[in-house]
Amino acid sequence: MPKRIEPDLSTRPAYATDSALAAHFGVNRATIWNWLKVNRFPKPIKLSPQMTRWKWSDVTEWEAAQRTAA
């Protein structure tokens, strides 16, 4: 897994874009969508027809599970 960038949790919004997730994991946006496609990433939430976001709490939970599985 790529090197993680620790975000400042006090200023992090409740939802993340694919760009924010890509920056967090040090990958490109397509990788986030590929992880989702193969069921290896939390499901996003559709806030509107053109706005898809992930709950940071879901991502944090998933990330912790990946660490314990390794």
Side-chain angles (χ1 to χ4, degrees):
M1 192 171 221
K3 181 181 174 187
R4 290 183 317 118
I5 299 168
E6 292 296 331
D8 179 1
L9 299 179
S10 65
T11 60
R12 186 169 67 183
Y15 295 96
T17 63
D18 56 355
S19 296
L21 293 171
H24 176 73
F25 290 109
V27 298
N28 63 43
R29 290 174 46 213
T31 301
I32 300 299
W33 290 101
N34 286 334
W35 288 347
L36 180 65
K37 187 177 179 180
V38 296
N39 295 320
R40 297 195 62 211
F41 202 67
K43 300 282 185 224
I45 297 168
K46 204 79 157 135
L47 297 177
S48 74
Q50 297 173 329
M51 186 182 296
T52 302
R53 300 290 186 265
W54 284 261
K55 288 175 62 177
W56 272 114
S57 59
D58 291 346
V59 173
T60 303
E61 209 173 280
W62 174 83
E63 199 172 10
Q66 300 308 301
R67 277 188 240 126
T68 58

Short mmCIF file of all heavy atoms in Angstrom, two decimals:
data_model
loop_
_atom_site.label_atom_id
_atom_site.label_comp_id
_atom_site.label_asym_id
_atom_site.label_seq_id
_atom_site.Cartn_x
_atom_site.Cartn_y
_atom_site.Cartn_z
N MET A 1 0.85 -1.18 0.00
CA MET A 1 0.00 0.00 0.00
C MET A 1 0.90 1.24 0.00
O MET A 1 1.90 1.29 0.69
CB MET A 1 -0.91 -0.04 1.23
CG MET A 1 -2.02 0.95 1.21
SD MET A 1 -3.15 0.62 2.58
CE MET A 1 -4.66 0.89 1.73
N PRO A 2 0.51 2.28 -0.76
CA PRO A 2 1.33 3.48 -0.81
C PRO A 2 1.40 4.19 0.54
O PRO A 2 0.57 3.98 1.42
CB PRO A 2 0.59 4.37 -1.82
CG PRO A 2 -0.35 3.48 -2.53
CD PRO A 2 -0.62 2.33 -1.64
N LYS A 3 2.41 5.06 0.66
CA LYS A 3 2.58 5.83 1.89
C LYS A 3 1.35 6.71 2.14
O LYS A 3 0.87 7.38 1.24
CB LYS A 3 3.82 6.71 1.77
CG LYS A 3 4.11 7.53 2.98
CD LYS A 3 5.33 8.39 2.78
CE LYS A 3 5.49 9.30 3.97
NZ LYS A 3 6.55 10.27 3.76
N ARG A 4 0.84 6.68 3.36
CA ARG A 4 -0.33 7.47 3.71
C ARG A 4 0.07 8.86 4.15
O ARG A 4 1.11 9.05 4.78
CB ARG A 4 -1.10 6.81 4.86
CG ARG A 4 -1.80 5.56 4.48
CD ARG A 4 -2.61 4.97 5.60
NE ARG A 4 -1.91 4.99 6.86
CZ ARG A 4 -2.33 5.66 7.95
NH1 ARG A 4 -3.44 6.31 7.94
NH2 ARG A 4 -1.65 5.63 9.07
N ILE A 5 -0.77 9.82 3.84
CA ILE A 5 -0.59 11.18 4.31
C ILE A 5 -1.59 11.39 5.43
O ILE A 5 -2.79 11.23 5.23
CB ILE A 5 -0.84 12.18 3.17
CG1 ILE A 5 0.15 11.93 2.03
CG2 ILE A 5 -0.75 13.62 3.68
CD1 ILE A 5 -0.19 12.65 0.76
N GLU A 6 -1.11 11.71 6.62
CA GLU A 6 -1.99 11.89 7.76
C GLU A 6 -2.70 13.24 7.67
O GLU A 6 -2.05 14.28 7.68
CB GLU A 6 -1.21 11.80 9.07
CG GLU A 6 -0.68 10.43 9.37
CD GLU A 6 -1.75 9.38 9.57
OE1 GLU A 6 -2.85 9.73 10.03
OE2 GLU A 6 -1.49 8.22 9.27
N PRO A 7 -4.03 13.25 7.55
CA PRO A 7 -4.74 14.52 7.48
C PRO A 7 -4.92 15.13 8.86
O PRO A 7 -4.84 14.44 9.88
CB PRO A 7 -6.10 14.11 6.91
CG PRO A 7 -6.28 12.71 7.38
CD PRO A 7 -4.89 12.11 7.42
N ASP A 8 -5.15 16.42 8.89
CA ASP A 8 -5.49 17.11 10.13
C ASP A 8 -6.98 16.87 10.37
O ASP A 8 -7.83 17.45 9.70
CB ASP A 8 -5.19 18.60 9.99
CG ASP A 8 -5.55 19.39 11.24
OD1 ASP A 8 -6.01 18.78 12.23
OD2 ASP A 8 -5.38 20.61 11.23
N LEU A 9 -7.31 15.98 11.29
CA LEU A 9 -8.69 15.57 11.51
C LEU A 9 -9.58 16.69 12.01
O LEU A 9 -10.79 16.65 11.83
CB LEU A 9 -8.74 14.39 12.48
CG LEU A 9 -8.03 13.13 12.01
CD1 LEU A 9 -8.12 12.05 13.08
CD2 LEU A 9 -8.56 12.63 10.70
N SER A 10 -9.00 17.72 12.62
CA SER A 10 -9.81 18.81 13.15
C SER A 10 -10.40 19.68 12.05
O SER A 10 -11.41 20.34 12.26
CB SER A 10 -8.99 19.67 14.11
OG SER A 10 -7.94 20.31 13.40
N THR A 11 -9.80 19.68 10.86
CA THR A 11 -10.30 20.51 9.77
C THR A 11 -10.86 19.70 8.62
O THR A 11 -11.29 20.26 7.63
CB THR A 11 -9.19 21.43 9.24
OG1 THR A 11 -8.12 20.61 8.75
CG2 THR A 11 -8.69 22.37 10.31
N ARG A 12 -10.85 18.39 8.73
CA ARG A 12 -11.31 17.54 7.64
C ARG A 12 -12.83 17.56 7.57
O ARG A 12 -13.50 17.40 8.59
CB ARG A 12 -10.80 16.11 7.85
CG ARG A 12 -11.12 15.21 6.69
CD ARG A 12 -10.40 13.92 6.79
NE ARG A 12 -10.89 13.15 7.91
CZ ARG A 12 -10.38 11.99 8.27
NH1 ARG A 12 -9.37 11.49 7.63
NH2 ARG A 12 -10.89 11.34 9.28
N PRO A 13 -13.39 17.74 6.38
CA PRO A 13 -14.85 17.72 6.24
C PRO A 13 -15.40 16.31 6.44
O PRO A 13 -14.65 15.33 6.47
CB PRO A 13 -15.08 18.20 4.81
CG PRO A 13 -13.81 17.90 4.10
CD PRO A 13 -12.71 17.97 5.12
N ALA A 14 -16.70 16.18 6.54
CA ALA A 14 -17.34 14.88 6.76
C ALA A 14 -17.27 14.00 5.52
O ALA A 14 -17.25 12.78 5.63
CB ALA A 14 -18.79 15.07 7.18
N TYR A 15 -17.21 14.61 4.35
CA TYR A 15 -17.21 13.86 3.09
C TYR A 15 -15.95 14.14 2.30
O TYR A 15 -15.37 15.22 2.38
CB TYR A 15 -18.43 14.23 2.25
CG TYR A 15 -19.73 13.83 2.90
CD1 TYR A 15 -20.47 14.73 3.63
CD2 TYR A 15 -20.20 12.53 2.78
CE1 TYR A 15 -21.66 14.36 4.23
CE2 TYR A 15 -21.39 12.15 3.38
CZ TYR A 15 -22.11 13.06 4.11
OH TYR A 15 -23.27 12.69 4.71
N ALA A 16 -15.54 13.15 1.51
CA ALA A 16 -14.34 13.27 0.69
C ALA A 16 -14.66 13.10 -0.78
O ALA A 16 -15.50 12.28 -1.15
CB ALA A 16 -13.33 12.20 1.10
N THR A 17 -13.95 13.84 -1.60
CA THR A 17 -14.03 13.67 -3.05
C THR A 17 -13.05 12.57 -3.46
O THR A 17 -12.16 12.19 -2.68
CB THR A 17 -13.64 14.96 -3.78
OG1 THR A 17 -12.28 15.26 -3.46
CG2 THR A 17 -14.56 16.12 -3.39
N ASP A 18 -13.17 12.13 -4.70
CA ASP A 18 -12.20 11.16 -5.19
C ASP A 18 -10.80 11.79 -5.23
O ASP A 18 -9.81 11.12 -4.96
CB ASP A 18 -12.61 10.57 -6.54
CG ASP A 18 -12.84 11.61 -7.62
OD1 ASP A 18 -12.79 12.82 -7.34
OD2 ASP A 18 -13.10 11.19 -8.77
N SER A 19 -10.72 13.09 -5.50
CA SER A 19 -9.42 13.78 -5.52
C SER A 19 -8.80 13.81 -4.13
O SER A 19 -7.59 13.59 -3.99
CB SER A 19 -9.59 15.21 -6.03
OG SER A 19 -10.03 15.20 -7.36
N ALA A 20 -9.61 14.08 -3.11
CA ALA A 20 -9.10 14.10 -1.73
C ALA A 20 -8.61 12.71 -1.31
O ALA A 20 -7.57 12.58 -0.66
CB ALA A 20 -10.17 14.60 -0.77
N LEU A 21 -9.36 11.68 -1.70
CA LEU A 21 -8.96 10.32 -1.36
C LEU A 21 -7.67 9.93 -2.09
O LEU A 21 -6.79 9.30 -1.51
CB LEU A 21 -10.08 9.34 -1.70
CG LEU A 21 -11.33 9.48 -0.85
CD1 LEU A 21 -12.45 8.61 -1.42
CD2 LEU A 21 -11.05 9.12 0.59
N ALA A 22 -7.58 10.32 -3.35
CA ALA A 22 -6.37 10.02 -4.12
C ALA A 22 -5.15 10.67 -3.46
O ALA A 22 -4.10 10.04 -3.32
CB ALA A 22 -6.53 10.49 -5.56
N ALA A 23 -5.29 11.92 -3.04
CA ALA A 23 -4.19 12.61 -2.36
C ALA A 23 -3.86 11.93 -1.03
O ALA A 23 -2.69 11.76 -0.68
CB ALA A 23 -4.55 14.08 -2.13
N HIS A 24 -4.88 11.53 -0.30
CA HIS A 24 -4.69 10.87 0.99
C HIS A 24 -3.90 9.58 0.86
O HIS A 24 -3.00 9.30 1.66
CB HIS A 24 -6.06 10.59 1.61
CG HIS A 24 -6.01 9.84 2.90
ND1 HIS A 24 -5.59 10.40 4.08
CD2 HIS A 24 -6.33 8.55 3.19
CE1 HIS A 24 -5.65 9.49 5.04
NE2 HIS A 24 -6.10 8.36 4.53
N PHE A 25 -4.22 8.79 -0.17
CA PHE A 25 -3.56 7.49 -0.35
C PHE A 25 -2.34 7.55 -1.27
O PHE A 25 -1.65 6.55 -1.45
CB PHE A 25 -4.55 6.45 -0.88
CG PHE A 25 -5.58 6.05 0.14
CD1 PHE A 25 -6.90 6.44 0.00
CD2 PHE A 25 -5.23 5.30 1.25
CE1 PHE A 25 -7.86 6.08 0.93
CE2 PHE A 25 -6.18 4.94 2.19
CZ PHE A 25 -7.49 5.33 2.04
N GLY A 26 -2.10 8.70 -1.89
CA GLY A 26 -0.95 8.83 -2.78
C GLY A 26 -1.12 8.07 -4.08
O GLY A 26 -0.15 7.51 -4.60
N VAL A 27 -2.34 8.02 -4.59
CA VAL A 27 -2.64 7.34 -5.84
C VAL A 27 -3.40 8.32 -6.74
O VAL A 27 -3.71 9.43 -6.33
CB VAL A 27 -3.49 6.06 -5.61
CG1 VAL A 27 -2.74 5.06 -4.75
CG2 VAL A 27 -4.84 6.40 -4.98
N ASN A 28 -3.72 7.89 -7.97
CA ASN A 28 -4.53 8.77 -8.80
C ASN A 28 -6.01 8.45 -8.63
O ASN A 28 -6.37 7.44 -8.04
CB ASN A 28 -4.08 8.73 -10.27
CG ASN A 28 -4.27 7.37 -10.89
OD1 ASN A 28 -5.28 6.72 -10.70
ND2 ASN A 28 -3.29 6.94 -11.67
N ARG A 29 -6.85 9.35 -9.12
CA ARG A 29 -8.30 9.20 -8.94
C ARG A 29 -8.82 7.90 -9.54
O ARG A 29 -9.72 7.27 -8.97
CB ARG A 29 -9.02 10.39 -9.58
CG ARG A 29 -8.81 11.68 -8.83
CD ARG A 29 -9.40 12.89 -9.54
NE ARG A 29 -10.74 12.65 -10.01
CZ ARG A 29 -11.25 13.19 -11.12
NH1 ARG A 29 -10.53 14.00 -11.85
NH2 ARG A 29 -12.48 12.92 -11.46
N ALA A 30 -8.27 7.48 -10.65
CA ALA A 30 -8.73 6.24 -11.29
C ALA A 30 -8.54 5.04 -10.38
O ALA A 30 -9.35 4.10 -10.39
CB ALA A 30 -8.00 6.04 -12.62
N THR A 31 -7.49 5.07 -9.57
CA THR A 31 -7.24 3.96 -8.64
C THR A 31 -8.36 3.85 -7.62
O THR A 31 -8.80 2.73 -7.30
CB THR A 31 -5.89 4.16 -7.94
OG1 THR A 31 -4.86 4.20 -8.93
CG2 THR A 31 -5.61 3.05 -6.94
N ILE A 32 -8.85 4.97 -7.12
CA ILE A 32 -9.97 4.95 -6.17
C ILE A 32 -11.16 4.27 -6.80
O ILE A 32 -11.80 3.38 -6.20
CB ILE A 32 -10.33 6.38 -5.71
CG1 ILE A 32 -9.14 7.08 -5.03
CG2 ILE A 32 -11.57 6.37 -4.82
CD1 ILE A 32 -8.63 6.41 -3.78
N TRP A 33 -11.48 4.64 -8.03
CA TRP A 33 -12.64 4.05 -8.72
C TRP A 33 -12.40 2.58 -9.04
O TRP A 33 -13.33 1.77 -8.99
CB TRP A 33 -12.97 4.86 -9.98
CG TRP A 33 -13.52 6.19 -9.61
CD1 TRP A 33 -12.86 7.40 -9.62
CD2 TRP A 33 -14.83 6.47 -9.12
NE1 TRP A 33 -13.69 8.39 -9.16
CE2 TRP A 33 -14.90 7.86 -8.85
CE3 TRP A 33 -15.96 5.68 -8.87
CZ2 TRP A 33 -16.05 8.47 -8.36
CZ3 TRP A 33 -17.10 6.30 -8.38
CH2 TRP A 33 -17.13 7.68 -8.13
N ASN A 34 -11.16 2.20 -9.34
CA ASN A 34 -10.85 0.79 -9.58
C ASN A 34 -11.00 -0.03 -8.30
O ASN A 34 -11.51 -1.15 -8.34
CB ASN A 34 -9.45 0.62 -10.16
CG ASN A 34 -9.37 1.03 -11.61
OD1 ASN A 34 -10.38 0.98 -12.33
ND2 ASN A 34 -8.20 1.44 -12.05
N TRP A 35 -10.56 0.51 -7.16
CA TRP A 35 -10.74 -0.19 -5.88
C TRP A 35 -12.23 -0.41 -5.63
O TRP A 35 -12.64 -1.47 -5.19
CB TRP A 35 -10.15 0.62 -4.73
CG TRP A 35 -8.65 0.66 -4.67
CD1 TRP A 35 -7.78 -0.12 -5.36
CD2 TRP A 35 -7.87 1.53 -3.87
NE1 TRP A 35 -6.49 0.21 -5.03
CE2 TRP A 35 -6.52 1.22 -4.12
CE3 TRP A 35 -8.17 2.53 -2.96
CZ2 TRP A 35 -5.47 1.88 -3.48
CZ3 TRP A 35 -7.13 3.19 -2.33
CH2 TRP A 35 -5.79 2.87 -2.59
N LEU A 36 -13.02 0.60 -5.91
CA LEU A 36 -14.47 0.49 -5.73
C LEU A 36 -15.04 -0.57 -6.66
O LEU A 36 -15.87 -1.39 -6.25
CB LEU A 36 -15.13 1.84 -5.98
CG LEU A 36 -16.64 1.90 -5.83
CD1 LEU A 36 -17.04 1.62 -4.38
CD2 LEU A 36 -17.16 3.25 -6.27
N LYS A 37 -14.59 -0.58 -7.89
CA LYS A 37 -15.09 -1.52 -8.90
C LYS A 37 -14.87 -2.98 -8.51
O LYS A 37 -15.71 -3.83 -8.78
CB LYS A 37 -14.41 -1.22 -10.24
CG LYS A 37 -14.94 -1.98 -11.40
CD LYS A 37 -14.22 -1.52 -12.66
CE LYS A 37 -14.71 -2.28 -13.87
NZ LYS A 37 -14.02 -1.84 -15.09
N VAL A 38 -13.76 -3.25 -7.84
CA VAL A 38 -13.46 -4.63 -7.44
C VAL A 38 -13.84 -4.89 -5.98
O VAL A 38 -13.34 -5.83 -5.36
CB VAL A 38 -11.98 -5.00 -7.70
CG1 VAL A 38 -11.67 -4.97 -9.18
CG2 VAL A 38 -11.04 -4.11 -6.92
N ASN A 39 -14.73 -4.05 -5.44
CA ASN A 39 -15.24 -4.20 -4.07
C ASN A 39 -14.16 -4.19 -3.01
O ASN A 39 -14.22 -4.92 -2.04
CB ASN A 39 -16.09 -5.48 -3.95
CG ASN A 39 -17.32 -5.40 -4.79
OD1 ASN A 39 -17.97 -4.35 -4.87
ND2 ASN A 39 -17.65 -6.49 -5.46
N ARG A 40 -13.16 -3.35 -3.21
CA ARG A 40 -12.09 -3.24 -2.22
C ARG A 40 -12.04 -1.87 -1.58
O ARG A 40 -11.01 -1.45 -1.07
CB ARG A 40 -10.74 -3.55 -2.88
CG ARG A 40 -10.69 -4.98 -3.39
CD ARG A 40 -9.30 -5.42 -3.70
NE ARG A 40 -8.49 -5.40 -2.49
CZ ARG A 40 -7.19 -5.15 -2.49
NH1 ARG A 40 -6.56 -4.92 -3.59
NH2 ARG A 40 -6.52 -5.15 -1.36
N PHE A 41 -13.16 -1.15 -1.61
CA PHE A 41 -13.20 0.19 -1.06
C PHE A 41 -14.63 0.49 -0.64
O PHE A 41 -15.58 -0.04 -1.24
CB PHE A 41 -12.73 1.21 -2.12
CG PHE A 41 -12.23 2.49 -1.53
CD1 PHE A 41 -11.08 2.53 -0.76
CD2 PHE A 41 -12.92 3.67 -1.75
CE1 PHE A 41 -10.63 3.72 -0.21
CE2 PHE A 41 -12.47 4.86 -1.21
CZ PHE A 41 -11.32 4.88 -0.45
N PRO A 42 -14.83 1.34 0.37
CA PRO A 42 -16.19 1.66 0.81
C PRO A 42 -17.04 2.26 -0.31
O PRO A 42 -16.53 2.95 -1.19
CB PRO A 42 -15.98 2.69 1.92
CG PRO A 42 -14.58 2.50 2.37
CD PRO A 42 -13.82 2.01 1.18
N LYS A 43 -18.31 1.99 -0.26
CA LYS A 43 -19.25 2.53 -1.24
C LYS A 43 -19.42 4.04 -1.01
O LYS A 43 -19.53 4.49 0.12
CB LYS A 43 -20.62 1.86 -1.12
CG LYS A 43 -20.59 0.36 -1.34
CD LYS A 43 -20.50 0.04 -2.79
CE LYS A 43 -20.60 -1.46 -2.99
NZ LYS A 43 -19.64 -1.96 -3.92
N PRO A 44 -19.46 4.80 -2.09
CA PRO A 44 -19.69 6.24 -1.96
C PRO A 44 -21.17 6.55 -1.77
O PRO A 44 -22.02 5.67 -1.91
CB PRO A 44 -19.18 6.80 -3.29
CG PRO A 44 -19.44 5.69 -4.25
CD PRO A 44 -19.22 4.42 -3.47
N ILE A 45 -21.43 7.80 -1.48
CA ILE A 45 -22.79 8.29 -1.33
C ILE A 45 -23.06 9.26 -2.47
O ILE A 45 -22.23 10.13 -2.75
CB ILE A 45 -22.97 9.01 0.03
CG1 ILE A 45 -22.74 8.01 1.16
CG2 ILE A 45 -24.33 9.67 0.14
CD1 ILE A 45 -22.61 8.66 2.51
N LYS A 46 -24.19 9.12 -3.11
CA LYS A 46 -24.58 10.01 -4.20
C LYS A 46 -25.36 11.17 -3.59
O LYS A 46 -26.50 11.02 -3.18
CB LYS A 46 -25.44 9.21 -5.18
CG LYS A 46 -25.46 9.74 -6.55
CD LYS A 46 -24.22 9.33 -7.28
CE LYS A 46 -24.49 9.36 -8.76
NZ LYS A 46 -23.44 9.97 -9.52
N LEU A 47 -24.76 12.35 -3.49
CA LEU A 47 -25.42 13.51 -2.91
C LEU A 47 -26.32 14.21 -3.92
O LEU A 47 -27.27 14.88 -3.53
CB LEU A 47 -24.39 14.49 -2.34
CG LEU A 47 -23.53 13.95 -1.20
CD1 LEU A 47 -22.50 14.97 -0.77
CD2 LEU A 47 -24.39 13.52 -0.02
N SER A 48 -26.00 14.06 -5.18
CA SER A 48 -26.83 14.56 -6.27
C SER A 48 -26.42 13.76 -7.51
O SER A 48 -25.45 13.00 -7.46
CB SER A 48 -26.62 16.06 -6.48
OG SER A 48 -25.38 16.31 -7.10
N PRO A 49 -27.13 13.92 -8.62
CA PRO A 49 -26.77 13.13 -9.81
C PRO A 49 -25.31 13.30 -10.24
O PRO A 49 -24.72 12.38 -10.81
CB PRO A 49 -27.72 13.64 -10.88
CG PRO A 49 -28.91 14.11 -10.12
CD PRO A 49 -28.35 14.69 -8.84
N GLN A 50 -24.72 14.45 -9.96
CA GLN A 50 -23.34 14.69 -10.39
C GLN A 50 -22.36 14.86 -9.23
O GLN A 50 -21.25 15.33 -9.43
CB GLN A 50 -23.31 15.93 -11.29
CG GLN A 50 -24.11 15.72 -12.55
CD GLN A 50 -24.23 16.98 -13.37
OE1 GLN A 50 -24.23 18.08 -12.83
NE2 GLN A 50 -24.32 16.81 -14.67
N MET A 51 -22.77 14.47 -8.03
CA MET A 51 -21.90 14.65 -6.87
C MET A 51 -21.83 13.36 -6.06
O MET A 51 -22.79 12.98 -5.41
CB MET A 51 -22.40 15.78 -5.97
CG MET A 51 -21.45 16.10 -4.84
SD MET A 51 -22.03 17.40 -3.73
CE MET A 51 -22.09 18.79 -4.83
N THR A 52 -20.68 12.72 -6.13
CA THR A 52 -20.43 11.48 -5.39
C THR A 52 -19.36 11.76 -4.36
O THR A 52 -18.31 12.33 -4.67
CB THR A 52 -19.97 10.37 -6.36
OG1 THR A 52 -20.97 10.19 -7.35
CG2 THR A 52 -19.74 9.07 -5.61
N ARG A 53 -19.61 11.34 -3.13
CA ARG A 53 -18.66 11.56 -2.04
C ARG A 53 -18.57 10.32 -1.17
O ARG A 53 -19.47 9.49 -1.15
CB ARG A 53 -19.09 12.75 -1.16
CG ARG A 53 -19.20 14.07 -1.88
CD ARG A 53 -17.83 14.60 -2.28
NE ARG A 53 -17.89 15.93 -2.84
CZ ARG A 53 -17.95 16.20 -4.14
NH1 ARG A 53 -18.00 15.21 -5.02
NH2 ARG A 53 -17.98 17.43 -4.58
N TRP A 54 -17.48 10.22 -0.43
CA TRP A 54 -17.29 9.15 0.55
C TRP A 54 -17.30 9.76 1.93
O TRP A 54 -16.76 10.85 2.14
CB TRP A 54 -15.94 8.47 0.33
CG TRP A 54 -15.89 7.54 -0.83
CD1 TRP A 54 -16.01 6.18 -0.77
CD2 TRP A 54 -15.69 7.86 -2.20
NE1 TRP A 54 -15.89 5.64 -2.03
CE2 TRP A 54 -15.71 6.67 -2.93
CE3 TRP A 54 -15.52 9.06 -2.90
CZ2 TRP A 54 -15.54 6.62 -4.31
CZ3 TRP A 54 -15.36 9.01 -4.27
CH2 TRP A 54 -15.37 7.81 -4.95
N LYS A 55 -17.88 9.05 2.88
CA LYS A 55 -17.83 9.49 4.27
C LYS A 55 -16.43 9.18 4.78
O LYS A 55 -15.95 8.06 4.67
CB LYS A 55 -18.87 8.76 5.10
CG LYS A 55 -20.29 9.21 4.82
CD LYS A 55 -21.32 8.41 5.56
CE LYS A 55 -21.15 8.53 7.05
NZ LYS A 55 -22.20 7.80 7.79
N TRP A 56 -15.77 10.20 5.34
CA TRP A 56 -14.43 9.97 5.88
C TRP A 56 -14.45 8.90 6.96
O TRP A 56 -13.52 8.11 7.07
CB TRP A 56 -13.84 11.26 6.45
CG TRP A 56 -13.09 12.09 5.44
CD1 TRP A 56 -13.44 13.33 4.99
CD2 TRP A 56 -11.88 11.75 4.76
NE1 TRP A 56 -12.52 13.76 4.07
CE2 TRP A 56 -11.54 12.82 3.92
CE3 TRP A 56 -11.04 10.63 4.79
CZ2 TRP A 56 -10.40 12.81 3.11
CZ3 TRP A 56 -9.91 10.63 3.99
CH2 TRP A 56 -9.60 11.69 3.17
N SER A 57 -15.54 8.84 7.73
CA SER A 57 -15.60 7.82 8.78
C SER A 57 -15.58 6.42 8.19
O SER A 57 -14.94 5.51 8.73
CB SER A 57 -16.85 8.03 9.65
OG SER A 57 -18.02 7.96 8.85
N ASP A 58 -16.24 6.22 7.04
CA ASP A 58 -16.21 4.91 6.36
C ASP A 58 -14.80 4.60 5.86
O ASP A 58 -14.32 3.46 5.98
CB ASP A 58 -17.18 4.88 5.18
CG ASP A 58 -18.63 4.92 5.59
OD1 ASP A 58 -18.94 4.70 6.79
OD2 ASP A 58 -19.48 5.17 4.70
N VAL A 59 -14.15 5.60 5.31
CA VAL A 59 -12.80 5.41 4.78
C VAL A 59 -11.82 5.10 5.92
O VAL A 59 -10.99 4.19 5.80
CB VAL A 59 -12.34 6.66 3.98
CG1 VAL A 59 -10.88 6.55 3.58
CG2 VAL A 59 -13.24 6.86 2.77
N THR A 60 -11.94 5.81 7.02
CA THR A 60 -11.08 5.58 8.18
C THR A 60 -11.27 4.18 8.74
O THR A 60 -10.29 3.49 9.07
CB THR A 60 -11.36 6.63 9.27
OG1 THR A 60 -11.18 7.93 8.70
CG2 THR A 60 -10.44 6.47 10.46
N GLU A 61 -12.51 3.75 8.80
CA GLU A 61 -12.82 2.40 9.28
C GLU A 61 -12.22 1.34 8.34
O GLU A 61 -11.63 0.36 8.78
CB GLU A 61 -14.35 2.25 9.31
CG GLU A 61 -14.88 1.30 10.33
CD GLU A 61 -16.39 1.39 10.38
OE1 GLU A 61 -16.91 2.31 11.02
OE2 GLU A 61 -17.04 0.52 9.76
N TRP A 62 -12.38 1.54 7.05
CA TRP A 62 -11.83 0.62 6.05
C TRP A 62 -10.31 0.56 6.15
O TRP A 62 -9.72 -0.51 6.11
CB TRP A 62 -12.26 1.08 4.65
CG TRP A 62 -11.64 0.29 3.54
CD1 TRP A 62 -12.06 -0.91 3.06
CD2 TRP A 62 -10.47 0.63 2.80
NE1 TRP A 62 -11.23 -1.32 2.05
CE2 TRP A 62 -10.24 -0.40 1.87
CE3 TRP A 62 -9.59 1.71 2.83
CZ2 TRP A 62 -9.18 -0.37 0.98
CZ3 TRP A 62 -8.52 1.72 1.95
CH2 TRP A 62 -8.32 0.69 1.03
N GLU A 63 -9.71 1.74 6.31
CA GLU A 63 -8.25 1.82 6.41
C GLU A 63 -7.74 1.05 7.63
O GLU A 63 -6.75 0.32 7.55
CB GLU A 63 -7.87 3.30 6.50
CG GLU A 63 -6.46 3.59 6.16
CD GLU A 63 -6.20 5.08 6.06
OE1 GLU A 63 -7.06 5.91 6.44
OE2 GLU A 63 -5.09 5.42 5.63
N ALA A 64 -8.42 1.18 8.74
CA ALA A 64 -8.03 0.45 9.96
C ALA A 64 -8.16 -1.05 9.75
O ALA A 64 -7.31 -1.82 10.20
CB ALA A 64 -8.89 0.91 11.14
N ALA A 65 -9.21 -1.45 9.07
CA ALA A 65 -9.40 -2.90 8.79
C ALA A 65 -8.29 -3.43 7.90
O ALA A 65 -7.86 -4.58 8.05
CB ALA A 65 -10.76 -3.12 8.14
N GLN A 66 -7.82 -2.61 6.98
CA GLN A 66 -6.72 -3.04 6.09
C GLN A 66 -5.44 -3.25 6.89
O GLN A 66 -4.68 -4.18 6.62
CB GLN A 66 -6.47 -2.00 4.99
CG GLN A 66 -7.65 -1.73 4.10
CD GLN A 66 -8.25 -2.99 3.53
OE1 GLN A 66 -7.59 -3.76 2.84
NE2 GLN A 66 -9.52 -3.21 3.83
N ARG A 67 -5.20 -2.39 7.86
CA ARG A 67 -4.00 -2.52 8.69
C ARG A 67 -4.04 -3.78 9.54
O ARG A 67 -3.03 -4.44 9.73
CB ARG A 67 -3.83 -1.29 9.58
CG ARG A 67 -3.16 -0.16 8.86
CD ARG A 67 -2.83 0.97 9.81
NE ARG A 67 -3.56 2.13 9.30
CZ ARG A 67 -4.39 2.87 10.00
NH1 ARG A 67 -4.60 2.63 11.26
NH2 ARG A 67 -5.01 3.88 9.46
N THR A 68 -5.21 -4.11 10.09
CA THR A 68 -5.31 -5.30 10.94
C THR A 68 -5.28 -6.58 10.13
O THR A 68 -4.87 -7.61 10.62
CB THR A 68 -6.58 -5.26 11.81
OG1 THR A 68 -7.73 -5.18 10.97
CG2 THR A 68 -6.55 -4.09 12.77
N ALA A 69 -5.71 -6.50 8.87
CA ALA A 69 -5.70 -7.69 8.00
C ALA A 69 -4.31 -8.02 7.49
O ALA A 69 -4.03 -9.14 7.10
CB ALA A 69 -6.65 -7.48 6.82
N ALA A 70 -3.43 -7.03 7.49
CA ALA A 70 -2.07 -7.23 6.93
C ALA A 70 -1.16 -7.91 7.90
O ALA A 70 -1.30 -8.12 9.01
CB ALA A 70 -1.48 -5.88 6.54
#
